[in-house]
Amino acid sequence: MISVIIIGAGNVATHLYKAFTKSENVSVNQWYNRSLKSLQTFKNEVDITDDLNNLKDADIYILAVSDDAVASVSSQLPLENKIVVHTSGSVNVHDLDKKHKRGVFYPLQTFSKTAQLDFANVPICIETLDKPDYHILKELAISIGSPVKKVNSDQRKVLHLAAVFVNNFTNQLYRIGHEITESEGAEFDLLKPLILETAKKVQDLSPYMAQTGPAKRNDKKTINKHLKLLQSEEHKAIYNVLTESIKKTHGR
Amino acid sequence: MISVIIIGAGNVATHLYKAFTKSENVSVNQWYNRSLKSLQTFKNEVDITDDLNNLKDADIYILAVSDDAVASVSSQLPLENKIVVHTSGSVNVHDLDKKHKRGVFYPLQTFSKTAQLDFANVPICIETLDKPDYHILKELAISIGSPVKKVNSDQRKVLHLAAVFVNNFTNQLYRIGHEITESEGAEFDLLKPLILETAKKVQDLSPYMAQTGPAKRNDKKTINKHLKLLQSEEHKAIYNVLTESIKKTHGR
Ligand SMILES: NC(=O)c1ccc[n+]([C@@H]2O[C@H](COP(=O)([O-])OP(=O)(O)OC[C@H]3O[C@@H](n4cnc5c(N)ncnc54)[C@H](OP(=O)(O)O)[C@@H]3O)[C@@H](O)[C@H]2O)c1
Ligand SMILES: NC(=O)c1ccc[n+]([C@@H]2O[C@H](COP(=O)([O-])OP(=O)(O)OC[C@H]3O[C@@H](n4cnc5c(N)ncnc54)[C@H](OP(=O)(O)O)[C@@H]3O)[C@@H](O)[C@H]2O)c1
């Protein structure tokens, strides 16, 4: 049995809490947040607190707070020589106070409070300063059904950056698709199966192999038609920069 | 029973053939291609030909040939007053020879010969010059389980353009994710669940609502860290143009 205390009550903290309570191998000894408001729903299931000085004992303390708060909250913890991890893709492991056995437990996924999420689809990227701590964090991840990967700071930063491309930027392309179709009274809904299929394709095929379309073929006629159709200079700029990128990747 | 003749033997033609033969409501009377090579596998199931002058009778002739070949092949067809449709998102319906009852049967999806595809996930966008022809094409689409949408030329062109954004450009962002992670010895595989979840999210939520990340928050610290990490000027340009686009969309 691994005992944990969760610090923070946002998206990540809430999803982790739910996954931990479902697992037979994990007990959540306490849940802290600076304000009790978001914890009230859970007060009959778990010990909740808004006072760091009341913190109980546990094997692992998980700091799932905003990136900017990691350093200060970690230094306020009245603990010594305990495993304390943050959950951020971009915060340095050394930002945690050095009185702790420091580590990172970074769930590489997009969380929002409403959406259900199976942790089988949440790879956990683990980093520890002390080797032995890796094993208990790995066991914790496995207990909630997650794939686990040992990832150093440089790799984690680059994964976080890549996540911005495949998640935030991709989502903005969906948004532009939405804007373009609506402007002509066409339905964005018609694009949804294509969006899903595009994501499914690269589960087995490399993005390089999966590429198709006018940019890859360097089909100038279609490219020019598209540029004429686009009304906004911003959309044109995005069209151009991504078309050039595809052409370069495919040697055009 | 709707009878069809397929012209062309590429990705779209092959997927349509398989879907038609599975449907109890459709018979494929013949399959034409300019060379018989790609049709040989099917010669025991269906009448195949490479001679347009041998073309049989059918309710609908489907021209699933390269965009550039639609006009010329359609004028070579020794038919008159028959329903002839092409399957392209970007070719004008008037590019079909005017001796035909002209239409478009545009499957809004990404096809490749290897990948299996359920036509329930392939919306068919139908356009006809003569109103009565719409109904039989709609019935044909329904026979293979596809959602159907009446779409005029302007809407179809804009859907095709939007498809480039959500399919080709999105796939290039996956490619960049692949390049960035590999450059640091991190694994692209770790991003695959995130890619899928990003696509799933907008099935129910608008892309506007689904957006998260540093650009939306205008988190300058993280944005600058990312720009420093990016080695290639091309990746930086893409990062900048999409970050600006997200900021503009979300009023930053
Ligand atoms: N969301 C994702 O998709 C995702 C994915 C992977 C990793 N992460 C990482 O996980 C961590 C948490 O993210 P999240 O999305 O769960 O954030 P969130 O939903 O915004 O929640 C932030 C939490 O931090 C607390 N907090 C903020 N500033 C604080 C301070 N100065 N002192 C004490 N507590 C403070 C908040 O308390 P209040 O409730 O009182 O405001 C809240 O409980 C971040 O490091 C993030 O980078 C997020
Ligand atoms: N692929 C997709 O994801 C997709 C999606 C929606 C719509 N479409 C549209 O569907 C149509 C077909 O696309 P596809 O991907 O199936 O193409 P494809 O796989 O490249 O196949 C093209 C077919 O057209 C034939 N062809 C090419 N030039 C010809 C000519 N001058 N005369 C006679 N036949 C000719 C080829 O014959 P050979 O076999 O002899 O070369 C081949 O059978 C296009 O209009 C395309 O825009 C494609």
Side-chain angles (χ1 to χ4, degrees):
Chain A
M1 194 71 137
I2 303 172
S3 61
V4 303
I5 289 180
I6 301 172
I7 293 162
N11 298 311
V12 171
T14 306
H15 278 278
L16 282 175
Y17 170 77
K18 287 182 185 161
F20 289 150
T21 50
K22 261 194 235 153
S23 165
E24 290 186 354
N25 202 27
V26 184
S27 80
V28 180
N29 284 6
Q30 203 175 26
W31 193 354
Y32 164 90
N33 198 43
R34 59 175 173 185
S35 76
L36 286 180
K37 216 178 120 217
S38 9
L39 294 180
Q40 291 298 348
T41 347
F42 304 95
K43 70 171 179 221
N44 297 326
E45 313 173 8
V46 61
D47 183 8
I48 63 172
T49 181
D50 60 357
D51 182 358
L52 286 177
N53 291 313
N54 270 346
L55 236 43
K56 291 190 176 170
D57 189 52
D59 298 324
I60 302 169
Y61 295 78
I62 300 176
L63 262 177
V65 297
S66 313
D67 288 2
D68 288 343
V70 169
S72 75
V73 176
S74 93
S75 67
Q76 288 168 56
L77 296 179
L79 307 168
E80 245 171 69
N81 221 23
K82 289 300 228 169
I83 299 178
V84 174
V85 296
H86 71 67
T87 59
S88 169
S90 60
V91 174
N92 204 299
V93 64
H94 293 99
D95 283 7
L96 293 165
D97 195 295
K98 60 176 176 296
K99 66 189 172 187
H100 306 301
K101 291 158 85 176
R102 293 170 279 178
V104 181
F105 193 83
Y106 169 48
L108 186 32
Q109 199 29 294
T110 166
F111 294 90
S112 49
K113 270 195 183 169
T114 47
Q116 290 250 342
L117 204 58
D118 183 345
F119 270 78
N121 301 319
V122 183
I124 307 275
C125 303
I126 298 179
E127 177 178 3
T128 55
L129 289 186
D130 298 315
K131 251 192 177 170
D133 302 338
Y134 175 74
H135 299 284
I136 187 167
L137 290 168
K138 180 177 177 180
E139 210 187 314
L140 181 66
I142 289 171
S143 300
I144 54 176
S146 289
V148 189
K149 191 74 200 169
K150 191 182 231 165
V151 160
N152 65 33
S153 279
D154 289 343
Q155 291 168 332
R156 181 162 46 86
K157 276 176 200 156
V158 114
L159 283 167
H160 185 253
L161 171 57
V164 168
F165 277 85
V166 306
N167 172 244
N168 305 149
F169 291 169
T170 287
N171 188 73
Q172 183 65 3
L173 295 180
Y174 301 161
R175 164 68 192 182
I176 294 171
H178 199 169
E179 288 176 14
I180 297 175
T181 46
E182 281 197 340
S183 73
E184 279 294 338
E187 281 177 35
F188 176 67
D189 277 4
L190 291 169
L191 294 168
K192 288 181 177 176
L194 177 63
I195 285 173
L196 213 48
E197 186 63 26
T198 304
K200 276 189 194 157
K201 245 187 187 171
V202 295
Q203 303 296 311
D204 305 313
L205 218 58
S206 73
Y208 182 85
M209 292 302 295
Q211 193 58 280
T212 61
K216 184 188 167 189
R217 292 193 308 270
N218 195 14
D219 170 354
K220 295 199 183 84
K221 225 169 100 184
T222 304
I223 292 171
N224 286 330
K225 269 194 215 171
H226 284 167
L227 286 169
K228 263 189 201 150
L229 260 180
L230 286 168
Q231 316 244 319
S232 114
E233 288 307 316
E234 180 203 333
H235 294 170
K236 271 186 203 170
I238 294 169
Y239 190 99
N240 276 323
V241 78
L242 284 165
T243 294
E244 286 310 312
S245 177
I246 294 172
K247 279 161 67 177
K248 208 176 144 199
T249 297
H250 293 274
R252 290 294 190 161
Chain B
M1 195 69 138
I2 304 172
S3 61
V4 303
I5 289 178
I6 302 172
I7 292 161
N11 298 312
V12 171
T14 306
H15 278 278
L16 282 175
Y17 171 76
K18 287 182 184 159
F20 289 151
T21 50
K22 260 193 233 154
S23 165
E24 292 186 352
N25 202 28
V26 185
S27 80
V28 181
N29 284 4
Q30 204 175 26
W31 193 353
Y32 164 92
N33 198 42
R34 60 176 173 182
S35 77
L36 285 181
K37 214 178 121 218
S38 10
L39 294 179
Q40 291 299 349
T41 346
F42 304 96
K43 71 171 178 223
N44 296 326
E45 314 173 7
V46 61
D47 183 7
I48 63 172
T49 181
D50 60 358
D51 183 357
L52 286 177
N53 292 312
N54 269 346
L55 235 44
K56 290 190 176 169
D57 189 52
D59 298 324
I60 302 169
Y61 295 77
I62 299 175
L63 263 175
V65 297
S66 312
D67 288 1
D68 288 343
V70 168
S72 76
V73 176
S74 94
S75 67
Q76 288 168 55
L77 296 179
L79 307 168
E80 244 172 67
N81 220 24
K82 289 300 228 169
I83 299 178
V84 174
V85 296
H86 71 67
T87 60
S88 170
S90 61
V91 174
N92 204 299
V93 64
H94 292 100
D95 282 7
L96 292 165
D97 194 296
K98 61 175 176 294
K99 66 189 172 186
H100 306 303
K101 292 159 83 174
R102 292 169 280 178
V104 181
F105 193 83
Y106 170 48
L108 186 33
Q109 200 28 295
T110 166
F111 293 90
S112 48
K113 270 195 184 171
T114 46
Q116 289 251 341
L117 205 59
D118 182 345
F119 269 78
N121 301 320
V122 184
I124 307 275
C125 303
I126 298 178
E127 178 178 1
T128 56
L129 290 184
D130 298 315
K131 249 192 176 168
D133 302 338
Y134 175 72
H135 299 284
I136 187 167
L137 290 168
K138 180 177 176 179
E139 211 187 313
L140 182 66
I142 290 171
S143 301
I144 53 175
S146 288
V148 189
K149 191 73 201 171
K150 192 182 231 163
V151 160
N152 66 33
S153 280
D154 289 343
Q155 291 168 332
R156 180 163 45 86
K157 275 175 202 156
V158 115
L159 282 166
H160 185 253
L161 171 57
V164 168
F165 277 85
V166 306
N167 172 243
N168 305 151
F169 291 169
T170 287
N171 188 74
Q172 183 65 4
L173 295 180
Y174 301 160
R175 164 69 192 181
I176 293 170
H178 199 169
E179 287 176 14
I180 297 175
T181 46
E182 281 198 339
S183 73
E184 278 295 339
E187 281 177 35
F188 177 67
D189 277 4
L190 291 170
L191 294 168
K192 288 181 176 176
L194 177 62
I195 285 174
L196 212 48
E197 186 63 25
T198 304
K200 275 189 194 156
K201 246 190 186 170
V202 295
Q203 304 295 312
D204 304 313
L205 218 58
S206 72
Y208 181 86
M209 293 302 294
Q211 193 57 280
T212 60
K216 184 189 167 189
R217 293 193 308 270
N218 195 14
D219 170 354
K220 294 201 184 85
K221 225 170 99 186
T222 304
I223 292 171
N224 285 331
K225 269 196 218 172
H226 283 168
L227 285 169
K228 262 189 204 153
L229 260 180
L230 286 168
Q231 315 245 320
S232 115
E233 289 306 316
E234 180 203 335
H235 294 170
K236 273 187 202 170
I238 293 169
Y239 190 99
N240 277 323
V241 78
L242 284 166
T243 293
E244 286 310 311
S245 177
I246 294 172
K247 279 162 66 177
K248 209 176 143 198
T249 298
H250 294 274
R252 289 296 190 159

